[in-house]
Amino acid sequence: MGLIARLAIAAAALAGNGIAAPVTAATAAAQYCDETGVCYSEVTVGVAPITWRIAIPAVEQGPFDVLLQVIAPKSVGWAGLAWGGGMLYNPISLAWANGNSTIGSARFAAAHVQPDFYDPAAHTILKGSSANDTHWTLTTLCQGCSTWVHNGGAKEVLDPGATAASFAFAASAVPPIDPTDPTSPIGIHSEHGIFTVDLAAAKSEQFSTWVEQLKVA
Ligand code: HEM
Ligand SMILES: *[C@@H]1O[C@H](CO)[C@@H](O)[C@H](O)[C@H]1NC(C)=O
Ligand SMILES: *[C@@H]1O[C@H](CO)[C@@H](O)[C@H](O)[C@H]1NC(C)=O
């Protein structure tokens, strides 16, 4: 059993003893493989809670494309992942339900206000994007999420070897104003937080095969 799994069990045991659990749920990173054999690093965070899954190619350095899967309960109107670990000056992958499917949309914020639509990153909707009575799932390829220009002009690139890459998330119960429009405005979050993802463990030699396999005909 891995250290994190053991810590999670220890935390559960403490909670069972009546010792208050932290408000921000501990994040237990794990490996998840779907029934077709596509594997991701997975983290479940927040109040909703929301599950984030990431797969990347087996590269030594960035930039690289990213497979992102987001699973949220229907109570989540939108969920966003900030690739640099905070709201500001990094690409944000926004996700929400649209009818019986989902939408992925890139944003970028230079201040703590409505992030702008962000052209340098594109989200392609892939198989496995759906919404049912209880949850919605976005499966998307992001091209342009692993590199960006920070405030002041410094180029940032995700390190594919990072075992604890820092990301931030935010979510709101209120859906975007026009859920059918990828550029739709959104309202402010009701929760936000940070988590880490094992990118090294998210690497796969099969990445491009998976992307082909997941393409919507
Ligand atoms: C209309 C949209 C949004 C508005 C008006 C908004 C506004 C704000 C405000 C006022 C704060 C508090 C700043 C402070 O007190 O330090 C904040 C923090 C934060 N927001 Fe947003 N936000 C929006 C969308 C987003 C989205 C899409 C994300 C996606 C990840 C996000 C992630 C965060 C995070 C992680 C923080 C914590 C502080 C930081 O990282 O800068 N926000 N936001
Ligand atoms: C749900 O998806 C199917 C295709 O998979 C489509 O034919 C149908 O119109 C959709 N229903 C709604 C309510 O969007
Ligand atoms: C709804 O979707 C979620 C997330 O994909 C899944 O876990 C759940 O089994 C689905 N529910 C039904 C009734 O299909």
Side-chain angles (χ1 to χ4, degrees), residues 98-101:
N98 175 34
N100 60 14
S101 190

Side-chain angles (χ1 to χ4, degrees), residues 71 132 134-135 137:
I71 301 99
N132 62 28
T134 63
H135 290 78
T137 301

Side-chain angles (χ1 to χ4, degrees), residues 7 26 38 59 67 81 104-105 116 119 121 124 132-133 173 182 195 200 203:
L7 286 175
V38 179
V59 291
L67 270 174
L81 183 152
S105 173
D116 293 323
D119 264 336
T124 305
N132 62 28
D133 286 346
F195 60 96
K203 282 188 195 181

